Amino acid sequence: MTLTIAPRVRALVLLLLAAACALLAAAGTASAHAAVTGSDPGQGAVVDKAPARISLTFSEQVAMSDDSLRVLDPEGKRVDTGKPSNVSGTTYAVPLHSGLPDGTYTVAYQVVSADSHPVAGAYTFSIGAPSKTSVSVSGQSADDGVVGWLYGFGRYVSYAGFIVMAGGAAFVLACWRRGSGVRPVQRFVVSGWVALTAATLALLLLRGSFTGSGKVADVFDLSLLGQVLQTKTGAALVSRLLLLAAAALFIAVLFGAYDKREDAQEKRDLTFGLSIGGVVVAAGLAASWAMSEHASVGLQAGIAMPVDVLHLLAVAAWLGGLGSLLVALYRAPADTPVDRPAVRRFSQIAFGSVLTLIATGTYQSWRQLGSWSAFTDTRYGQLLLAKIGLVVVMVGVAWISRRWTGRLAETAPVEAVAVREKERVGAGAEPAGDVATTDAGDGDAPATAHSDTDTDTDTDTDTDTDEHPGSERAAQLARQQAARDAARQKRMRDADPNRFGLRRSVLAEAGIAVVLLAVTTVLTQTEPGRTEQEAKAASSSSASASSGTGASGALTLNMPFDTGGEDGKGIVTVDLDPARVGDNEMHVFVERPNGRAFDIPEVKVEFTLKAKDIGPLPVVPDHIATGHWSANGVQIPMAGDWQVDVTVRTSDIDEVTVSKNAQIG
């Protein structure tokens, strides 16, 4: 039974890895961590005169290149001049050509937020009146394509590599203090170092294309690489590579001089030195993430960065140690299995790590969400709920592991059996039931094959002794002995049912940890809930301001006019209530420049929706009082950007028509 577990283990691990990759793929485009909170001209606005520049306001500071802000005319030609500049705080502007003709213009932006994530989008505004445009306004982010997928996968591998390397090394130092049987864990830790190093190099190459064009051909562009090295993220990646060189030296000492040290006092001294050095290197590596992502910007960055470092170290100690324990339980030699004190020490470390994660995670959640509603109303909050749920499940499985640890049998009886078996084999006695038990209980097909091969090989060897004098027979006996030793080691590892139960529960923990790491990676690429809600509130406020709504919710349009005749200047105000599709009530007020009511012979109003070729729809309001006209039942058939034309006649021959666009419905 025990040998048949290995294929199941491999299948389960592959399924979990596939689920993690699917989760990463299904996450889609990473949301921007900086959001546009305002613009001038505003989105969908119609201005009378061409602006001298356009400006965008973000929720945080962003990094810009020469092409970060582009303004395109209706034909798709650029009309911006010069480079984008920071005009104040988080507001950035780019100048425009003078004398731009009427029509609809597209503003496209592609910047990098302060926490290293690319932000891209587009919107339109119009001069004079809206027109047709050949420009697509659907902004494409660089992380939509192959480069974006590779960059996301590289981030996942880098997190996993750090956790395996740092957590595995901590497990060896703090838990498994014996000098033998540690080679499987050594391979595990080294694989983490290799994965982190390779992922860091890949991220450094991909970064320029990821924040720019998103093209695979630009990955090896040395000019882009030079630009990346001058950014905060580039500096963090280079620092990570330098620290990985120190980590390589640490690993060499840990599995070299430390592993071979026999004197107890010398080993304690070396353990202390390695612990201090390991914590410094691991904290430095964790800081390379904190200095370039969420923690480095926003609220309380000075507190958030060390908290983020502590959070990542706790994750590594728990999940990396868990992976090392799993490797030790399944791959350690039978004569040096993981003992109960080692498992208990790891259990204590895991418990402390969970408490640390709860404390640091609570602070991070408050900082990134800002409100309870963000848990359900934002994608960041929903992912965070999924992460919390996985942690709760994992802690529950860890409690089961802790129970198995309490019942774990001492390894001395198993080791005694191993010694007796070796003595019997050394004396030339065939271990009782070695092959038969392996075949029946473990399903080990190779062992059966060896048993059958003995007779055939003996015959062949006897026949061909003259041609192969003893060498083939010796090699065959060595292979048979190796197969018996392997089967015996597996049988001895599984002899204790409590140890077998611990292996299964730890394997379940590791499977949940793989998915948890995938969710965490997606979470680091998602716009924080606090930022998302602030951006929505700012956009809503901007939309309300641009629509000119009054206290009653009516649409209010103020339009100066000049008919050219004597006493022909004034201001006409149109109020449309409730400014929606269907029946509306309209009031028109005409005032002189000094604000006094202006009684004129005639006022007419027309509504036109040019995008749908609707209108003009004429409305002739009734004169109510001095400078006041009104009309009921004004029908607006469709929502859209309507052009409101008001004709004002101040004498028998002096009249003028003024226009303004507004979103109605």
Side-chain angles (χ1 to χ4, degrees):
M1 174 181 176
T2 52
L3 285 182
T4 58
I5 292 176
R8 296 178 184 175
V9 170
R10 288 193 292 269
L12 179 58
V13 172
L14 289 175
L15 285 174
L16 290 170
L17 289 173
C21 294
L23 179 59
L24 286 172
T29 303
S31 302
H33 292 201
V36 176
T37 58
S39 59
D40 185 20
Q43 181 172 354
V46 179
V47 296
D48 296 331
K49 296 181 180 179
R53 68 178 187 180
I54 64 101
S55 63
L56 292 177
T57 301
F58 294 88
S59 59
E60 63 183 42
Q61 289 190 337
V62 297
M64 290 201 168
S65 63
D66 295 348
D67 293 330
S68 289
L69 287 181
R70 296 178 298 132
V71 184
L72 310 174
D73 66 11
E75 302 299 324
K77 298 179 181 179
R78 292 186 64 168
V79 295
D80 55 285
T81 61
K83 299 179 180 179
S85 60
N86 180 228
V87 293
S88 64
T90 58
T91 300
Y92 302 81
V94 63
L96 304 179
H97 287 297
S98 59
L100 294 178
D102 292 354
T104 296
Y105 291 77
T106 302
V107 179
Y109 57 90
Q110 184 169 347
V111 299
V112 179
S113 62
D115 59 358
S116 80
H117 295 270
V119 183
Y123 75 92
T124 61
F125 72 93
S126 300
I127 301 175
S131 67
K132 293 182 178 180
T133 176
S134 60
V135 181
S136 173
V137 298
S138 58
Q140 293 291 322
S141 178
D143 54 359
D144 287 336
V146 175
V147 171
W149 187 91
L150 290 174
Y151 195 86
F153 184 74
R155 287 170 56 83
Y156 176 84
V157 173
S158 65
Y159 277 119
F162 171 76
I163 289 172
V164 167
M165 180 187 69
F171 177 82
V172 172
L173 272 176
C175 302
W176 200 350
R177 297 173 181 173
R178 64 180 61 198
S180 59
V182 77
R183 187 164 299 278
V185 180
Q186 176 184 355
R187 290 194 291 265
F188 184 67
V189 173
V190 171
S191 67
W193 183 90
V194 172
L196 178 56
T197 304
T200 303
L201 289 171
L203 291 176
L204 197 58
L205 290 173
L206 291 167
R207 181 68 188 176
S209 178
F210 176 65
T211 58
S213 65
K215 297 178 181 178
V216 178
D218 292 340
V219 170
F220 298 100
D221 189 335
L222 294 181
S223 62
L224 286 178
L225 180 60
Q227 295 174 13
V228 169
L229 294 176
Q230 299 175 17
T231 64
K232 181 172 65 174
T233 303
L237 292 172
V238 172
S239 301
R240 193 179 303 168
L241 287 174
L242 295 175
L243 287 167
L244 281 169
L249 178 61
F250 171 86
I251 293 172
V253 175
L254 177 64
F255 295 105
Y258 175 81
D259 187 35
K260 298 175 182 177
R261 193 75 63 180
E262 298 294 340
D263 184 82
Q265 182 60 42
E266 290 183 358
K267 193 153 191 171
R268 279 196 297 270
D269 294 341
L270 189 55
T271 299
F272 178 77
L274 284 174
S275 300
I276 297 298
V279 169
V280 171
V281 173
L285 288 169
S288 68
W289 277 281
M291 68 180 287
S292 61
E293 297 196 357
H294 287 262
S296 62
V297 294
L299 186 67
Q300 299 179 351
I303 299 175
M305 289 181 65
V307 168
D308 198 57
V309 170
L310 189 60
H311 187 84
L312 191 53
L313 290 177
V315 171
W318 184 21
L319 302 187
L322 184 69
S324 299
L325 177 60
L326 183 66
V327 170
L329 287 171
Y330 275 92
R331 297 300 179 189
D335 54 347
T336 54
V338 182
D339 54 7
R340 182 166 58 184
V343 180
R344 283 181 172 175
R345 284 191 291 267
F346 171 71
S347 181
Q348 294 170 354
I349 292 175
F351 182 73
S353 298
V354 170
L355 293 181
T356 303
L357 289 174
I358 292 174
T360 56
T362 300
Y363 171 77
Q364 289 176 331
S365 300
W366 167 80
R367 181 175 179 269
Q368 301 295 356
L369 292 176
S371 66
W372 291 107
S373 61
F375 270 110
T376 55
D377 295 344
T378 65
R379 185 166 179 264
Y380 187 94
Q382 294 163 0
L383 284 170
L384 186 57
L385 285 175
K387 178 181 177 181
I388 293 172
L390 286 170
V391 171
V392 170
V393 173
M394 194 170 173
V395 170
V397 178
W399 178 78
I400 297 174
S401 298
R402 192 179 182 89
R403 292 184 60 190
W404 283 115
T405 301
R407 302 193 325 224
L408 188 64
E410 294 291 347
T411 58
V414 177
E415 293 176 356
V417 171
V419 172
R420 287 196 299 270
E421 291 282 359
K422 289 182 179 180
E423 290 175 351
R424 293 178 61 187
V425 172
E430 187 71 18
D434 234 2
V435 178
T437 304
T438 303
D439 292 342
D442 299 338
D444 194 348
T448 305
H450 290 312
S451 179
D452 295 338
T453 308
D454 287 345
T455 304
D456 297 338
T457 310
D458 290 346
T459 304
D460 294 340
T461 306
D462 292 341
T463 304
D464 302 332
T465 303
D466 296 336
E467 298 180 6
H468 307 282
S471 60
E472 183 177 344
R473 177 62 175 172
Q476 185 180 34
L477 290 174
R479 289 195 298 270
Q480 292 175 8
Q481 186 61 46
R484 292 193 187 97
D485 290 342
R488 185 168 53 254
Q489 286 186 0
K490 290 184 178 181
R491 186 166 59 256
M492 286 189 293
R493 277 200 300 263
D494 299 334
D496 188 349
N498 295 321
R499 191 180 303 277
F500 179 68
L502 177 63
R503 287 169 58 180
R504 294 179 62 181
S505 61
V506 171
L507 178 61
E509 282 187 76
I512 299 172
V514 172
V515 182
L516 178 63
L517 181 58
V519 174
T520 302
T521 305
V522 176
L523 196 64
T524 62
Q525 301 178 80
T526 304
E527 180 180 358
R530 183 190 293 270
T531 304
E532 184 178 339
Q533 288 193 324
E534 289 176 354
K536 287 180 180 178
S539 299
S540 176
S541 175
S542 177
S544 299
S546 64
S547 64
T549 55
S552 64
L555 174 67
T556 302
L557 301 175
N558 297 310
M559 293 174 277
F561 66 86
D562 183 0
T563 60
E566 185 179 356
D567 196 21
K569 293 183 178 181
I571 299 174
V572 58
T573 300
V574 178
D575 285 345
L576 192 67
D577 188 13
R580 66 184 181 190
V581 175
D583 288 341
N584 292 268
E585 181 180 354
M586 185 180 71
H587 293 268
V588 180
F589 302 91
V590 181
E591 298 176 344
R592 297 180 185 277
N594 59 8
R596 299 180 62 181
F598 191 0
D599 211 12
I600 60 176
E602 185 180 25
V603 172
K604 294 186 295 185
V605 181
E606 292 181 341
F607 293 87
T608 305
L609 184 60
K610 292 186 176 181
K612 300 294 183 180
D613 292 329
I614 299 176
L617 306 177
V619 178
V620 181
D622 298 325
H623 188 240
I624 302 299
T626 301
H628 183 195
W629 288 257
S630 175
N632 294 321
V634 177
Q635 289 290 323
I636 301 297
M638 183 180 298
D641 186 15
W642 287 83
Q643 178 178 315
V644 182
D645 300 316
V646 182
T647 300
V648 179
R649 184 165 62 86
T650 57
S651 68
D652 291 340
I653 59 173
D654 297 322
E655 73 174 27
V656 68
T657 299
V658 291
S659 302
K660 203 161 191 178
N661 280 64
Q663 293 286 337
I664 302 177

